[in-house]
Amino acid sequence: MKKIKKIINKLWNVKKKSKKIIYNTKKVISLLEKNKIKVIEKKKNKWFTNTWIKKAILLHISNKNANLYELKYKNYFDKFNSLFLGYKKFIKKNIRVSDGAVIREGVYIGKNTVLMPSFVNIGANIGKNSMLDTWSTIGSCAKIGKNVHISGGCGIGGVLEPIQNNPVVIEDNCFIGARSEIVEGIIVKKKSVISMGVYIGKSTKIFDRTKNCFIKNGIIPKKSVVVPGTIPYKNYSLYSAIIVKYRDKNTDKKILMNKNLRK
């Protein structure tokens, strides 16, 4: 990977369009789909963004013309093709994708996943045994762990620019409730439960009721159970995300992780 990384970083400073750029960015897209590289990955228990991969995606966008991609039931006029052209790998990995789902190339989908009508943008990485429910959207380069349920209408933020910014990370065994929005590089740690209609970004006040303190690093702690709420602010109430407790057996009973849907 060091070789392709070096090439991309060198090409990043090339202003003119060239076939060499497209040739190498296609390699990067292929590696993303095979899970050989990841835009964001964990090193020494911390998440880091591989900015050179973002550079490759942006180079691909700026150097390639939009084309008409004609599939059997829908067409695209885009600079990125659809992952459905390689649908045979869905069979091998027991992936189920319903009508209306859009998956751009450069996306990795793990085994035994279920994708309802949803949108997954380039660079995203979806772990095994996860489910994206109806009208959920996964942004560019976002990381979804294994055994994650993204409920209907959720928005999981990604980011291409600025290249140094982190996309959202949802770690393993999390449940994200319907119509929730998690954006701006927020990290949701393992086994957390985000209730319906929770909005979390960098400017959102996150209050831990159990410890009577604010969370300031944009990281939702492991096993958090988060609900929408408000906190007093001057003469009015300010929206906030409230950690009401930490996940226990009672929480697990209320969460349906759709195991039967993967069979």
Side-chain angles (χ1 to χ4, degrees):
M1 300 307 162
K2 290 182 179 179
K3 184 178 179 180
I4 186 68
K5 178 181 177 180
K6 186 177 180 180
I7 291 170
I8 293 298
N9 282 327
K10 187 175 180 180
L11 291 172
W12 180 246
N13 297 316
V14 177
K15 294 181 180 180
K16 293 182 179 180
K17 291 184 178 183
S18 71
K19 291 182 179 179
K20 183 178 179 181
I21 290 176
I22 296 298
Y23 174 79
N24 284 284
T25 57
K26 281 184 175 180
K27 280 187 177 181
V28 173
I29 289 170
S30 178
L31 290 169
L32 285 167
E33 291 175 3
K34 295 173 182 176
N35 205 30
K36 295 288 181 67
I37 58 173
K38 303 176 184 71
V39 175
I40 187 163
E41 59 183 334
K42 190 175 267 189
K43 298 177 182 177
K44 296 181 179 180
N45 209 34
K46 290 185 178 181
W47 289 97
F48 291 91
T49 296
N50 292 311
T51 56
W52 70 273
I53 303 177
K54 281 191 183 184
K55 288 178 181 178
I57 295 171
L58 291 168
L59 280 170
H60 193 83
I61 293 170
S62 61
N63 280 265
K64 189 176 180 182
N65 295 323
N67 292 302
L68 178 63
Y69 296 103
E70 297 182 88
L71 303 182
K72 190 171 182 179
Y73 298 108
K74 65 177 71 175
N75 296 333
Y76 298 92
F77 187 73
D78 197 3
K79 296 187 179 184
F80 296 103
N81 211 330
S82 168
L83 201 66
F84 285 107
L85 293 184
Y87 80 94
K88 289 184 179 179
K89 58 191 168 190
F90 292 174
I91 299 171
K92 293 180 181 179
K93 295 168 70 176
N94 193 34
I95 296 170
R96 185 159 63 86
V97 184
S98 70
D99 181 37
V102 176
I103 313 171
R104 298 176 95 186
E105 63 181 337
V107 169
Y108 172 75
I109 307 291
K111 294 180 179 179
N112 304 317
T113 52
V114 178
L115 287 78
M116 301 305 285
S118 52
F119 179 83
V120 187
N121 211 344
I122 186 166
N125 187 291
I126 314 296
K128 66 180 182 180
N129 298 323
S130 290
M131 178 172 181
L132 309 184
D133 216 334
T134 307
W135 311 137
S136 57
T137 57
I138 309 299
S140 303
C141 309
K143 170 62 181 172
I144 307 297
K146 63 183 180 182
N147 302 313
V148 172
H149 182 108
I150 306 293
S151 300
C154 287
I156 306 300
V159 64
L160 281 173
E161 293 183 290
I163 59 172
Q164 70 272 12
N165 284 13
N166 290 343
V168 168
V169 174
I170 309 295
E171 292 191 348
D172 299 345
N173 301 296
C174 287
F175 182 95
I176 311 299
R179 300 302 189 269
S180 292
E181 296 280 340
I182 303 174
V183 298
E184 297 178 330
I186 296 295
I187 297 172
V188 180
K189 301 292 281 184
K190 292 180 179 180
K191 297 185 178 181
S192 290
V193 176
I194 308 298
S195 180
M196 179 174 67
V198 177
Y199 304 102
I200 308 176
K202 285 293 186 183
S203 61
T204 305
K205 300 293 184 183
I206 304 169
F207 184 74
D208 188 337
R209 188 182 71 170
T210 69
K211 299 176 183 177
N212 195 33
C213 66
F214 287 97
I215 304 295
K216 296 182 179 180
N217 57 6
I219 300 175
I220 304 298
K222 182 179 178 180
K223 291 188 174 182
S224 295
V225 178
V226 185
V227 302
T230 60
I231 55 171
Y233 183 77
K234 295 183 179 179
N235 296 323
Y236 55 90
S237 294
L238 184 68
Y239 171 82
S240 63
I242 309 292
I243 300 173
V244 291
K245 67 173 189 175
Y246 286 83
R247 188 166 172 172
D248 53 24
K249 290 182 180 179
N250 290 329
T251 309
D252 292 340
K253 289 177 183 178
K254 296 176 183 178
I255 298 172
L256 208 58
M257 298 302 282
N258 301 292
K259 290 181 181 180
N260 291 326
L261 294 176
R262 301 190 191 101
K263 295 179 180 179

